[in-house]
Amino acid sequence: MPTVAVEALTAYAARIFAATGAPAQEARTVAEHLVGANLRGHDSHGVIRITSYVERARDGAIVPGARPRIARETVSTALIDGGLNYGPVVATYAMGIAIAKARETGVGVASAFRSGHIGRVGAYGEQAVAAGMIGIGSVNTPGTRIVTAFGGASRRLGTNPIMVALPTEDPAAPFVLDMATSVVAEGKLRVAVNAGKAVPEAWILDGDGHPTTDPRDFYGAGGNERAGALLPVGGPASGYKGFGLNMAVEALSGLLSGAGSAVEGARGSNGVFLMALDPERFAGLDVFTAMFAALAQHVQAPPLQPGVDEVLLAGEPERRALRARNAHGIVLDDETWKQIALAAASVGVGPIEAGITP
Ligand code: NAD
């Protein structure tokens, strides 16, 4: 399993995206976004996506370099046509617009259609927090169905993540809740398949709607030929909550933007909802962060359950991964690295020259 130094991997990914026709700065934005996801422990949204991004650019589903444009706006809202550019380019632009509007009016909402896959949604929350704002967002994937309705037995919805990012007293440690509304992201099933491991009960159903712990059943590659489905967050007990959130994400992301819902739309694209709120227009940023610090101390105080050392707040697991991976580089499995090399070769980029330990 190769380990690749962070800057070497970022530069290599940027070369690949540039070779698909992206201007240098945009190629770098996409590369930094994907490597940023690996760094934060979300390998399913990291450089493993290079292959599908490059394929989409080749098929014309992504148009590198297309300029996102505001299709309609008011002082506090913007509807953005992403032009089919790479998602991280469109979403970074969209959150930039939301922040600028929030500076003017206290709240800015950007809704984008014709956007590529935007990756780790928390990144755009961190963009808002860096500007002293609260960031809220969600994305759907029009036309994609891998999650059941609550009580349903087959694929109906996407994994539809929802995100809330809050500034805190420590600018390096914002609260970033960034979660799929399915019980887990699909990438975790792929990881379990590759590792030959069972998944916990209440994650998936097989193609006949029966509970299973064999992740291959999700892909129709286990005992059942029909593809199974992921359950909404909350599982059999309270999955109606995850299902409700998932539907809300469909509406906020796919319907508000016109990008489409699970019923229709261009597969592989994202409907995007991003919002910035300026705490200064409410009780004030200092009041907000001081009260948040007290709240954090309150919820993290003992007693804790047996075997639990500490209560973590959302965003902390990612920061811990970031510290470790920044120091040691990013470990990629052989299959992922092989696929990246093939994607690179398909756009005329040769093997990585430095920064890799086999
Ligand atoms: P996850 O389950 O690993 O984490 C969800 C949230 O819980 C995070 O905010 C994390 O900080 C927090 N968390 C994790 N462990 C915790 C603990 N012990 N205590 C307190 N908080 C904890 O994430 P996920 O749901 O698998 O989503 C992974 C990524 O996939 C996200 O970045 C999401 O944006 C992305 N995603 C993107 C798309 C898309 O179409 N662009 C679709 C689905 C998911």
Side-chain angles (χ1 to χ4, degrees):
M1 295 218 289
T3 303
V4 195
V6 175
E7 177 47 34
L9 185 58
T10 311
Y12 189 56
R15 270 177 65 202
I16 297 171
F17 293 125
T20 68
Q25 203 183 339
E26 293 185 3
R28 182 82 195 179
T29 297
V30 183
E32 283 179 358
H33 181 90
L34 295 184
V35 174
N38 286 110
L39 279 171
R40 289 167 179 80
H42 291 295
D43 292 331
S44 57
H45 287 71
V47 292
I48 196 170
R49 301 272 172 168
I50 289 176
T51 309
S52 62
Y53 282 23
V54 167
E55 273 169 14
R56 290 201 175 114
R58 201 174 43 233
D59 296 348
I62 292 286
V63 180
R67 182 164 300 194
R69 68 174 185 91
I70 296 177
R72 176 183 290 178
E73 73 179 320
T74 68
V75 282
S76 58
T77 63
L79 177 67
I80 293 166
D81 176 352
L84 295 178
N85 204 333
Y86 287 115
V89 174
V90 177
T92 304
Y93 170 78
M95 185 49 107
I97 299 283
I99 291 167
K101 288 184 179 292
R103 269 200 219 299
E104 290 298 313
T105 68
V107 58
V109 178
S111 170
F113 63 100
R114 296 213 309 148
S115 167
H117 177 262
I118 73 168
R120 188 181 70 89
V121 185
Y124 314 104
E126 288 154 10
Q127 182 184 349
V129 166
M133 305 276 169
I134 292 169
I136 298 176
S138 65
V139 296
N140 79 329
T141 310
T144 292
R145 301 166 200 162
I146 54 176
V147 180
T148 67
F150 181 66
S154 64
R155 298 176 170 213
R156 284 288 184 268
L157 296 156
T159 53
N160 295 4
I162 195 157
M163 178 279 293
V164 178
L166 309 174
T168 67
E169 284 181 333
D170 178 357
F175 173 96
V176 186
L177 177 68
D178 174 20
M179 49 166 271
T181 51
S182 50
V183 74
V184 286
E186 189 225 323
K188 290 183 180 149
L189 302 178
R190 176 68 61 192
V191 170
V193 168
N194 289 354
K197 287 188 179 157
V199 296
E201 280 176 26
W203 277 20
I204 53 173
L205 302 179
D206 70 15
D208 292 319
H210 299 128
T212 173
T213 57
D214 182 348
R216 292 172 302 176
D217 284 332
F218 176 79
Y219 300 99
N224 191 323
E225 280 180 3
R226 274 191 289 278
L230 270 163
L231 290 167
V233 71
S238 58
Y240 53 87
K241 298 182 187 182
F243 174 47
L245 283 172
N246 192 311
M247 290 290 286
V249 171
E250 286 286 331
L252 288 173
S253 313
L255 309 191
L256 208 56
S257 65
S261 75
V263 176
E264 72 273 292
R267 290 191 83 137
S269 66
N270 273 160
V272 181
F273 171 78
L274 292 170
M275 176 157 118
L277 282 173
D278 184 357
E280 290 295 5
R281 302 303 183 100
F282 299 89
L285 182 61
D286 288 349
V287 173
F288 181 89
T289 57
M291 289 177 82
F292 185 84
L295 174 64
Q297 201 176 27
H298 171 67
V299 296
Q300 291 181 303
L304 305 180
Q305 291 172 24
V308 175
D309 298 329
E310 57 184 337
V311 168
L312 298 179
L313 296 181
E316 186 56 30
E318 285 76 11
R319 277 191 292 281
R320 290 184 182 186
L322 183 65
R323 281 194 288 275
R325 293 185 176 197
N326 254 332
H328 301 114
I330 292 168
V331 180
L332 296 168
D333 64 74
D334 294 330
E335 180 57 30
T336 300
W337 189 241
K338 196 173 92 190
Q339 287 172 6
I340 291 171
L342 284 173
S346 77
V347 289
V349 174
I352 194 166
E353 281 146 20
I356 183 162
T357 317

